[in-house]
Amino acid sequence: MTTVPVNASRQYDIRIGTGLLDRAGAMLREVVPCETVMLVCGDIVNSLYADRVQASLEDAGYRVARYVYPHGEQSKNADTYFALLNALAQAGLTRTDAIAALGGGVTGDVSGFAAATYQRGISYIQIPTTLLAAVDSSVGGKTAIDLPAGKNLAGAFYQPGLVLCDYDTLNTLPEEVFTDGCAEVIKYGVIWDADFFEQLKSPIRPQIESVIARCVEIKRDVVQQDEFDTGIRGLLNFGHTIGHAVEKCSAYAVSHGSAVAIGMALMTKAAYLAGRCDEDCVDSVYAMLRQYGLPTRTEFAPDDLLAAMLSDKKRSGSRISLIVPERIGKCDIVKLPVEEMKAFLRPALEDQTWK
Ligand code: NAD
Ligand code: GLY
Protein backbone atom coordinates (compact mmCIF):
# COMPACT_ATOMS: atom_id res chain seq x y z
CA MET A 1 0.00 0.00 0.00
CA THR A 2 1.16 3.53 -0.82
CA THR A 3 0.17 6.42 1.43
CA VAL A 4 0.20 10.00 0.16
CA PRO A 5 -0.37 12.53 2.96
CA VAL A 6 -2.19 15.78 2.17
CA ASN A 7 -1.70 18.92 4.21
CA ALA A 8 -4.48 21.31 3.17
CA SER A 9 -7.06 23.06 5.39
CA ARG A 10 -7.59 19.55 6.62
CA GLN A 11 -4.84 16.93 6.87
CA TYR A 12 -5.65 13.51 5.50
CA ASP A 13 -4.12 10.47 3.90
CA ILE A 14 -4.69 9.00 0.48
CA ARG A 15 -4.17 5.24 0.76
CA ILE A 16 -3.69 3.30 -2.45
CA GLY A 17 -3.62 -0.49 -2.48
CA THR A 18 -5.54 -3.73 -2.89
CA GLY A 19 -8.10 -5.22 -0.53
CA LEU A 20 -8.82 -1.85 1.07
CA LEU A 21 -12.62 -2.10 0.76
CA ASP A 22 -12.60 -4.80 3.42
CA ARG A 23 -10.47 -2.62 5.69
CA ALA A 24 -12.56 0.53 5.21
CA GLY A 25 -14.19 0.33 8.65
CA ALA A 26 -10.91 -0.10 10.52
CA MET A 27 -9.25 2.68 8.53
CA LEU A 28 -12.19 5.03 9.04
CA ARG A 29 -12.02 4.34 12.79
CA GLU A 30 -8.51 5.84 12.81
CA VAL A 31 -9.79 9.20 11.55
CA VAL A 32 -13.54 9.60 12.15
CA PRO A 33 -14.82 8.37 15.52
CA CYS A 34 -18.52 8.74 14.65
CA GLU A 35 -21.57 6.53 15.25
CA THR A 36 -23.36 6.51 11.91
CA VAL A 37 -22.03 6.42 8.37
CA MET A 38 -24.16 7.14 5.30
CA LEU A 39 -22.78 5.00 2.50
CA VAL A 40 -23.50 6.74 -0.81
CA CYS A 41 -23.18 5.04 -4.19
CA GLY A 42 -24.70 4.73 -7.64
CA ASP A 43 -26.82 1.68 -8.45
CA ILE A 44 -24.05 -0.17 -10.34
CA VAL A 45 -21.44 0.25 -7.60
CA ASN A 46 -24.13 -0.58 -5.05
CA SER A 47 -24.55 -4.05 -6.53
CA LEU A 48 -20.79 -4.57 -6.95
CA TYR A 49 -19.18 -3.28 -3.77
CA ALA A 50 -21.52 -1.67 -1.23
CA ASP A 51 -22.26 -4.84 0.78
CA ARG A 52 -18.54 -5.43 1.35
CA VAL A 53 -17.95 -1.86 2.48
CA GLN A 54 -21.04 -1.92 4.67
CA ALA A 55 -19.89 -5.18 6.31
CA SER A 56 -16.48 -3.68 6.97
CA LEU A 57 -18.02 -0.54 8.50
CA GLU A 58 -20.38 -2.61 10.66
CA ASP A 59 -17.53 -4.84 11.79
CA ALA A 60 -15.78 -1.69 12.98
CA GLY A 61 -18.85 -0.81 15.05
CA TYR A 62 -20.54 1.78 12.83
CA ARG A 63 -24.28 1.98 12.25
CA VAL A 64 -24.64 2.17 8.47
CA ALA A 65 -27.36 3.76 6.36
CA ARG A 66 -27.23 3.65 2.58
CA TYR A 67 -28.26 6.09 -0.15
CA VAL A 68 -28.30 4.76 -3.71
CA TYR A 69 -28.94 6.93 -6.79
CA PRO A 70 -29.26 6.08 -10.49
CA HIS A 71 -25.69 6.13 -11.86
CA GLY A 72 -24.47 8.74 -14.32
CA GLU A 73 -23.70 12.43 -14.76
CA GLN A 74 -27.44 13.15 -15.18
CA SER A 75 -27.77 12.40 -11.44
CA LYS A 76 -25.19 15.01 -10.45
CA ASN A 77 -27.94 17.53 -9.90
CA ALA A 78 -30.03 19.36 -7.33
CA ASP A 79 -32.60 16.52 -7.10
CA THR A 80 -29.99 13.96 -6.05
CA TYR A 81 -28.32 16.46 -3.73
CA PHE A 82 -31.56 17.34 -1.90
CA ALA A 83 -32.66 13.71 -1.79
CA LEU A 84 -29.32 12.85 -0.15
CA LEU A 85 -29.67 15.69 2.38
CA ASN A 86 -33.14 14.38 3.25
CA ALA A 87 -31.81 10.84 3.54
CA LEU A 88 -29.14 12.08 5.97
CA ALA A 89 -31.80 13.79 8.07
CA GLN A 90 -34.16 10.81 7.98
CA ALA A 91 -31.36 8.46 9.02
CA GLY A 92 -30.68 10.77 11.96
CA LEU A 93 -27.10 11.71 11.12
CA THR A 94 -25.71 14.34 13.47
CA ARG A 95 -22.86 16.81 13.06
CA THR A 96 -20.36 14.23 14.29
CA ASP A 97 -21.40 11.55 11.80
CA ALA A 98 -19.96 10.92 8.34
CA ILE A 99 -20.59 10.11 4.70
CA ALA A 100 -18.63 7.48 2.78
CA ALA A 101 -18.67 8.20 -0.96
CA LEU A 102 -18.17 4.88 -2.76
CA GLY A 103 -17.91 5.29 -6.53
CA GLY A 104 -16.74 7.55 -9.30
CA GLY A 105 -16.52 11.31 -9.58
CA VAL A 106 -20.28 11.80 -9.62
CA THR A 107 -20.70 10.04 -6.29
CA GLY A 108 -17.75 11.87 -4.78
CA ASP A 109 -18.83 15.31 -5.99
CA VAL A 110 -22.46 15.05 -4.83
CA SER A 111 -21.55 13.36 -1.54
CA GLY A 112 -18.85 15.92 -0.80
CA PHE A 113 -21.23 18.80 -1.44
CA ALA A 114 -23.84 17.20 0.82
CA ALA A 115 -21.17 16.66 3.49
CA ALA A 116 -20.08 20.30 3.18
CA THR A 117 -23.60 21.60 3.71
CA TYR A 118 -25.53 19.11 5.86
CA GLN A 119 -25.76 20.70 9.30
CA ARG A 120 -23.08 23.17 8.02
CA GLY A 121 -20.58 20.38 7.48
CA ILE A 122 -19.98 16.78 8.48
CA SER A 123 -17.02 14.50 7.76
CA TYR A 124 -16.77 12.45 4.61
CA ILE A 125 -14.41 9.97 3.12
CA GLN A 126 -13.82 9.14 -0.50
CA ILE A 127 -13.62 5.54 -1.72
CA PRO A 128 -12.99 5.98 -5.45
CA THR A 129 -13.90 3.10 -7.78
CA THR A 130 -13.11 4.68 -11.16
CA LEU A 131 -9.66 5.60 -12.44
CA LEU A 132 -10.81 9.20 -12.84
CA ALA A 133 -11.95 9.38 -9.23
CA ALA A 134 -8.78 7.64 -8.03
CA VAL A 135 -6.40 10.06 -9.75
CA ASP A 136 -8.39 13.27 -9.56
CA SER A 137 -11.88 13.84 -8.17
CA SER A 138 -11.46 12.07 -4.81
CA VAL A 139 -8.54 14.33 -3.88
CA GLY A 140 -8.40 18.07 -3.27
CA GLY A 141 -11.83 18.86 -1.90
CA LYS A 142 -13.70 20.22 -4.91
CA THR A 143 -17.33 19.18 -4.54
CA ALA A 144 -20.21 20.18 -6.80
CA ILE A 145 -23.43 19.52 -8.63
CA ASP A 146 -24.35 20.62 -12.15
CA LEU A 147 -27.04 23.23 -12.81
CA PRO A 148 -29.03 23.48 -16.05
CA ALA A 149 -26.79 26.45 -16.91
CA GLY A 150 -23.57 24.42 -16.70
CA LYS A 151 -21.20 21.99 -15.03
CA ASN A 152 -20.30 22.18 -11.35
CA LEU A 153 -21.99 25.56 -10.90
CA ALA A 154 -23.01 24.91 -7.28
CA GLY A 155 -20.45 23.48 -4.90
CA ALA A 156 -17.94 23.97 -2.13
CA PHE A 157 -14.29 23.43 -1.32
CA TYR A 158 -14.44 20.75 1.35
CA GLN A 159 -11.64 18.28 2.01
CA PRO A 160 -12.36 14.61 2.82
CA GLY A 161 -11.06 13.03 6.02
CA LEU A 162 -9.56 10.06 4.17
CA VAL A 163 -9.25 8.71 0.63
CA LEU A 164 -9.21 4.93 0.28
CA CYS A 165 -8.31 3.84 -3.21
CA ASP A 166 -8.70 0.09 -3.64
CA TYR A 167 -7.58 -0.33 -7.24
CA ASP A 168 -8.95 -3.90 -7.40
CA THR A 169 -12.26 -2.13 -8.07
CA LEU A 170 -10.91 -0.86 -11.41
CA ASN A 171 -11.06 -4.45 -12.72
CA THR A 172 -14.85 -4.26 -13.09
CA LEU A 173 -14.86 -0.93 -14.92
CA PRO A 174 -16.16 -0.99 -18.48
CA GLU A 175 -13.17 -0.37 -20.76
CA GLU A 176 -14.50 3.02 -21.89
CA VAL A 177 -14.82 4.22 -18.28
CA PHE A 178 -11.24 3.14 -17.53
CA THR A 179 -10.12 4.91 -20.71
CA ASP A 180 -11.93 8.05 -19.57
CA GLY A 181 -9.76 8.17 -16.47
CA CYS A 182 -6.64 7.87 -18.66
CA ALA A 183 -7.40 11.39 -19.96
CA GLU A 184 -6.88 12.87 -16.48
CA VAL A 185 -3.74 10.72 -16.03
CA ILE A 186 -2.27 12.10 -19.27
CA LYS A 187 -3.23 15.61 -18.12
CA TYR A 188 -0.78 15.39 -15.18
CA GLY A 189 2.07 14.53 -17.52
CA VAL A 190 1.36 17.46 -19.82
CA ILE A 191 0.91 20.08 -17.09
CA TRP A 192 3.61 18.99 -14.65
CA ASP A 193 5.88 16.06 -15.27
CA ALA A 194 7.52 15.16 -18.60
CA ASP A 195 9.13 12.02 -17.11
CA PHE A 196 5.72 10.80 -15.98
CA PHE A 197 4.39 11.51 -19.49
CA GLU A 198 7.14 9.22 -20.83
CA GLN A 199 6.18 6.55 -18.28
CA LEU A 200 2.67 6.55 -19.77
CA LYS A 201 4.02 5.28 -23.09
CA SER A 202 4.06 1.86 -21.36
CA PRO A 203 0.61 0.37 -20.56
CA ILE A 204 -0.63 1.69 -17.23
CA ARG A 205 -2.50 -1.34 -15.84
CA PRO A 206 0.71 -3.20 -14.81
CA GLN A 207 1.98 -0.04 -13.08
CA ILE A 208 -1.36 1.17 -11.72
CA GLU A 209 -0.32 1.76 -8.08
CA SER A 210 2.61 3.96 -9.03
CA VAL A 211 0.57 5.79 -11.70
CA ILE A 212 -2.25 6.59 -9.26
CA ALA A 213 0.28 7.58 -6.60
CA ARG A 214 2.16 9.94 -8.94
CA CYS A 215 -1.09 11.58 -10.10
CA VAL A 216 -2.31 12.24 -6.57
CA GLU A 217 1.14 13.44 -5.49
CA ILE A 218 1.03 16.04 -8.26
CA LYS A 219 -2.53 16.99 -7.38
CA ARG A 220 -1.57 17.16 -3.69
CA ASP A 221 1.40 19.43 -4.46
CA VAL A 222 -0.81 21.77 -6.51
CA VAL A 223 -3.67 21.81 -3.98
CA GLN A 224 -1.33 22.48 -1.06
CA GLN A 225 -0.13 25.63 -2.85
CA ASP A 226 -3.56 26.84 -3.94
CA GLU A 227 -6.40 24.99 -2.24
CA PHE A 228 -9.05 27.54 -3.18
CA ASP A 229 -8.17 27.75 -6.85
CA THR A 230 -7.07 31.34 -7.21
CA GLY A 231 -3.84 30.61 -9.09
CA ILE A 232 -1.75 27.55 -9.86
CA ARG A 233 -4.59 25.08 -9.24
CA GLY A 234 -5.98 26.35 -12.54
CA LEU A 235 -3.39 24.11 -14.24
CA LEU A 236 -5.49 21.09 -13.24
CA ASN A 237 -8.14 22.43 -15.60
CA PHE A 238 -6.04 21.77 -18.69
CA GLY A 239 -8.51 20.60 -21.35
CA HIS A 240 -11.50 21.40 -19.18
CA THR A 241 -12.70 24.71 -20.67
CA ILE A 242 -13.32 23.11 -24.06
CA GLY A 243 -14.14 19.80 -22.34
CA HIS A 244 -16.94 21.24 -20.23
CA ALA A 245 -18.34 22.92 -23.36
CA VAL A 246 -18.36 19.56 -25.17
CA GLU A 247 -20.10 17.93 -22.21
CA LYS A 248 -22.69 20.69 -22.09
CA CYS A 249 -23.32 20.72 -25.87
CA SER A 250 -23.83 16.94 -25.75
CA ALA A 251 -26.23 17.20 -22.80
CA TYR A 252 -23.60 15.13 -20.94
CA ALA A 253 -23.79 12.26 -23.44
CA VAL A 254 -20.02 12.72 -23.95
CA SER A 255 -18.29 11.56 -20.78
CA HIS A 256 -16.03 13.87 -18.75
CA GLY A 257 -12.76 12.12 -19.60
CA SER A 258 -13.50 11.95 -23.32
CA ALA A 259 -14.48 15.62 -23.30
CA VAL A 260 -11.26 16.54 -21.46
CA ALA A 261 -9.25 14.55 -24.02
CA ILE A 262 -10.87 16.53 -26.85
CA GLY A 263 -10.20 19.72 -24.89
CA MET A 264 -6.51 18.87 -24.37
CA ALA A 265 -6.05 18.06 -28.05
CA LEU A 266 -7.74 21.21 -29.33
CA MET A 267 -6.10 23.48 -26.76
CA THR A 268 -2.67 22.11 -27.70
CA LYS A 269 -3.40 22.64 -31.39
CA ALA A 270 -4.61 26.20 -30.63
CA ALA A 271 -1.39 26.82 -28.68
CA TYR A 272 0.67 25.65 -31.65
CA LEU A 273 -1.29 27.80 -34.12
CA ALA A 274 -0.73 30.79 -31.82
CA GLY A 275 3.01 30.08 -31.66
CA ARG A 276 3.02 29.10 -27.99
CA CYS A 277 4.28 25.50 -28.38
CA ASP A 278 6.10 23.58 -31.07
CA GLU A 279 4.88 20.85 -33.40
CA ASP A 280 6.54 18.10 -31.31
CA CYS A 281 4.38 19.05 -28.35
CA VAL A 282 1.18 18.69 -30.42
CA ASP A 283 2.43 15.42 -31.92
CA SER A 284 3.14 14.06 -28.43
CA VAL A 285 -0.27 15.00 -27.00
CA TYR A 286 -2.18 13.59 -29.98
CA ALA A 287 -0.07 10.40 -30.04
CA MET A 288 -0.65 9.79 -26.34
CA LEU A 289 -4.41 10.39 -26.57
CA ARG A 290 -4.62 8.07 -29.58
CA GLN A 291 -2.52 5.40 -27.81
CA TYR A 292 -5.15 5.32 -25.06
CA GLY A 293 -8.07 5.30 -27.52
CA LEU A 294 -9.24 8.76 -26.49
CA PRO A 295 -11.01 11.15 -28.89
CA THR A 296 -9.32 14.29 -30.20
CA ARG A 297 -12.20 16.04 -31.98
CA THR A 298 -15.89 16.88 -31.70
CA GLU A 299 -18.65 17.51 -34.21
CA PHE A 300 -20.11 20.46 -32.29
CA ALA A 301 -19.99 23.81 -34.10
CA PRO A 302 -17.30 26.29 -32.98
CA ASP A 303 -19.94 28.94 -32.15
CA ASP A 304 -21.88 26.51 -29.94
CA LEU A 305 -18.71 25.44 -28.12
CA LEU A 306 -17.57 29.04 -27.61
CA ALA A 307 -21.01 30.03 -26.29
CA ALA A 308 -20.96 27.10 -23.86
CA MET A 309 -17.49 28.13 -22.65
CA LEU A 310 -18.78 31.51 -21.56
CA SER A 311 -20.90 29.92 -18.83
CA ASP A 312 -17.87 28.04 -17.48
CA LYS A 313 -16.66 28.77 -13.95
CA LYS A 314 -13.21 29.59 -15.27
CA ARG A 315 -14.65 32.84 -16.56
CA SER A 316 -14.02 35.71 -14.18
CA GLY A 317 -15.84 38.89 -15.20
CA SER A 318 -15.01 39.54 -18.84
CA ARG A 319 -11.85 37.39 -18.81
CA ILE A 320 -11.47 33.64 -19.10
CA SER A 321 -8.49 31.53 -18.04
CA LEU A 322 -7.04 29.10 -20.53
CA ILE A 323 -4.42 26.47 -19.69
CA VAL A 324 -2.02 26.57 -22.60
CA PRO A 325 0.80 24.05 -23.15
CA GLU A 326 4.29 25.46 -23.64
CA ARG A 327 5.93 22.01 -23.80
CA ILE A 328 5.25 18.56 -22.30
CA GLY A 329 5.49 19.05 -18.52
CA LYS A 330 4.85 22.81 -18.59
CA CYS A 331 1.63 24.74 -19.18
CA ASP A 332 0.83 28.44 -18.70
CA ILE A 333 -2.30 30.01 -17.24
CA VAL A 334 -3.36 32.63 -19.79
CA LYS A 335 -6.18 35.06 -18.90
CA LEU A 336 -7.79 36.52 -21.98
CA PRO A 337 -10.73 38.86 -22.61
CA VAL A 338 -13.63 36.93 -24.14
CA GLU A 339 -13.09 38.17 -27.71
CA GLU A 340 -9.37 37.31 -27.60
CA MET A 341 -10.16 33.91 -26.15
CA LYS A 342 -12.52 33.25 -29.06
CA ALA A 343 -9.90 34.37 -31.57
CA PHE A 344 -7.29 32.12 -29.90
CA LEU A 345 -9.47 29.00 -29.98
CA ARG A 346 -11.50 29.45 -33.16
CA PRO A 347 -8.88 28.18 -35.69
CA ALA A 348 -8.44 24.90 -33.77
CA LEU A 349 -12.21 24.48 -33.37
CA GLU A 350 -12.86 25.13 -37.06
CA ASP A 351 -10.25 22.66 -38.34
CA GLN A 352 -9.89 19.88 -35.81
CA THR A 353 -7.65 17.64 -37.90
CA TRP A 354 -4.07 16.91 -36.89
CA LYS A 355 -1.92 14.82 -39.21
P1 NAD B 1 -19.00 8.39 -12.83
O1 NAD B 1 -18.93 8.70 -11.41
O2 NAD B 1 -20.28 8.71 -13.54
O3 NAD B 1 -18.67 6.85 -13.05
C1 NAD B 1 -18.66 6.34 -14.37
C2 NAD B 1 -19.48 5.05 -14.48
O4 NAD B 1 -18.73 4.00 -13.90
C3 NAD B 1 -20.80 5.06 -13.78
O5 NAD B 1 -21.76 4.45 -14.62
C4 NAD B 1 -20.57 4.20 -12.54
O6 NAD B 1 -21.73 3.53 -12.13
C5 NAD B 1 -19.57 3.23 -13.05
N1 NAD B 1 -18.68 2.64 -12.06
C6 NAD B 1 -18.01 3.30 -11.08
N2 NAD B 1 -17.14 2.47 -10.48
C7 NAD B 1 -17.28 1.26 -11.08
C8 NAD B 1 -16.62 0.02 -10.93
N3 NAD B 1 -15.60 -0.14 -10.08
N4 NAD B 1 -17.01 -1.02 -11.71
C9 NAD B 1 -17.98 -0.85 -12.65
N5 NAD B 1 -18.62 0.32 -12.86
C10 NAD B 1 -18.26 1.37 -12.09
O7 NAD B 1 -17.85 9.11 -13.67
P2 NAD B 1 -16.33 9.43 -13.34
O8 NAD B 1 -15.66 9.42 -14.66
O9 NAD B 1 -15.79 8.61 -12.25
O10 NAD B 1 -16.39 10.94 -12.79
C11 NAD B 1 -16.80 12.00 -13.62
C12 NAD B 1 -17.26 13.14 -12.73
O11 NAD B 1 -16.17 13.57 -11.92
C13 NAD B 1 -17.73 14.35 -13.51
O12 NAD B 1 -18.93 14.81 -12.95
C14 NAD B 1 -16.63 15.37 -13.28
O13 NAD B 1 -17.11 16.69 -13.34
C15 NAD B 1 -16.16 14.99 -11.92
N6 NAD B 1 -14.79 15.43 -11.58
C16 NAD B 1 -14.59 16.05 -10.40
C17 NAD B 1 -13.32 16.45 -10.05
C18 NAD B 1 -13.09 17.10 -8.70
O14 NAD B 1 -11.97 17.56 -8.45
N7 NAD B 1 -14.07 17.12 -7.83
C19 NAD B 1 -12.23 16.21 -10.89
C20 NAD B 1 -12.47 15.55 -12.10
C21 NAD B 1 -13.76 15.16 -12.43
N1 GLY C 1 -10.03 18.77 -11.10
C1 GLY C 1 -9.60 20.14 -10.96
C2 GLY C 1 -9.25 20.50 -9.56
O1 GLY C 1 -9.40 19.71 -8.65
O2 GLY C 1 -8.86 21.61 -9.33
Side-chain angles (χ1 to χ4, degrees):
M1 184 176 77
T2 304
T3 299
V4 178
V6 182
N7 189 1
S9 55
R10 179 170 193 171
Q11 295 187 352
Y12 57 96
D13 283 346
I14 305 161
R15 301 205 180 137
I16 305 154
T18 64
L20 300 190
L21 292 189
D22 303 312
R23 296 161 63 193
M27 289 185 168
L28 183 59
R29 267 274 162 248
E30 293 168 18
V31 290
V32 184
C34 66
E35 285 179 18
T36 303
V37 177
M38 176 64 80
L39 180 59
V40 181
C41 50
D43 48 7
I44 294 174
V45 171
N46 181 51
S47 56
L48 287 169
Y49 298 116
D51 288 348
R52 270 173 67 193
V53 175
Q54 178 156 351
S56 167
L57 292 168
E58 287 172 347
D59 285 350
Y62 292 105
R63 183 174 79 90
V64 180
R66 203 184 291 191
Y67 176 78
V68 181
Y69 68 90
H71 70 275
E73 183 74 28
Q74 286 79 1
S75 286
K76 193 175 139 177
N77 59 23
D79 289 345
T80 307
Y81 166 67
F82 281 114
L84 173 54
L85 291 180
N86 280 319
L88 293 168
Q90 277 163 12
L93 270 80
T94 69
R95 290 186 66 192
T96 52
D97 290 322
I99 293 175
L102 174 69
V106 169
T107 303
D109 281 9
V110 178
S111 301
F113 187 38
T117 48
Y118 179 70
Q119 298 199 6
R120 299 196 183 87
I122 63 172
S123 295
Y124 78 115
I125 66 164
Q126 294 268 15
I127 311 177
T129 64
T130 66
L131 180 59
L132 183 144
V135 299
D136 192 349
S137 62
S138 63
V139 175
K142 275 192 182 176
T143 74
I145 55 171
D146 302 334
L147 299 182
K151 276 279 290 184
N152 296 334
L153 289 184
F157 289 97
Y158 198 64
Q159 301 293 337
L162 178 67
V163 179
L164 284 186
C165 175
D166 182 341
Y167 54 80
D168 287 340
T169 59
L170 306 184
N171 294 331
T172 55
L173 278 181
E175 198 56 36
E176 68 275 12
V177 180
F178 185 86
T179 299
D180 239 40
C182 295
E184 301 280 10
V185 173
I186 293 166
K187 174 187 82 177
Y188 289 109
V190 181
I191 63 167
W192 202 263
D193 187 340
D195 291 338
F196 180 60
F197 189 85
E198 283 300 306
Q199 190 183 333
L200 300 178
K201 290 180 179 168
S202 304
I204 65 169
R205 284 189 191 269
Q207 45 172 348
I208 197 71
E209 185 163 329
S210 81
V211 165
I212 294 170
R214 183 62 191 135
C215 291
V216 297
E217 274 172 9
I218 294 171
K219 182 153 187 181
R220 182 270 313 271
D221 291 347
V222 172
V223 168
Q224 286 183 174
Q225 289 180 60
D226 178 25
E227 180 174 353
F228 299 106
D229 203 7
T230 58
I232 196 172
R233 186 164 181 170
L235 289 177
L236 297 173
N237 289 325
F238 174 50
H240 285 58
T241 299
I242 297 173
H244 284 172
V246 172
E247 283 184 86
K248 191 176 175 201
C249 288
S250 75
Y252 302 106
V254 178
S255 62
H256 181 75
S258 292
V260 167
I262 294 165
M264 292 193 289
L266 296 179
M267 186 61 75
T268 308
K269 183 174 177 186
Y272 168 71
L273 294 176
R276 298 189 72 111
C277 71
D278 65 17
E279 197 174 338
D280 282 353
C281 177
V282 198
D283 285 342
S284 298
V285 170
Y286 274 73
M288 188 65 83
L289 294 171
R290 287 171 179 154
Q291 177 189 323
Y292 281 89
L294 284 158
T296 56
R297 55 196 295 182
T298 172
E299 298 304 317
F300 294 110
D303 283 336
D304 294 340
L305 292 166
L306 290 166
M309 283 176 224
L310 297 184
S311 69
D312 199 82
K313 286 195 305 338
K314 285 166 282 302
R315 180 175 176 187
S316 104
S318 60
R319 296 171 87 83
I320 195 155
S321 289
L322 300 181
I323 311 308
V324 181
E326 186 181 313
R327 59 176 187 272
I328 299 300
K330 168 98 170 63
C331 289
D332 301 314
I333 301 175
V334 178
K335 291 189 178 155
L336 292 177
V338 167
E339 288 310 314
E340 284 182 40
M341 177 278 273
K342 288 181 177 174
F344 181 87
L345 292 180
R346 189 176 286 282
L349 300 180
E350 282 181 347
D351 175 7
Q352 298 185 15
T353 56
W354 182 261
K355 296 188 178 172

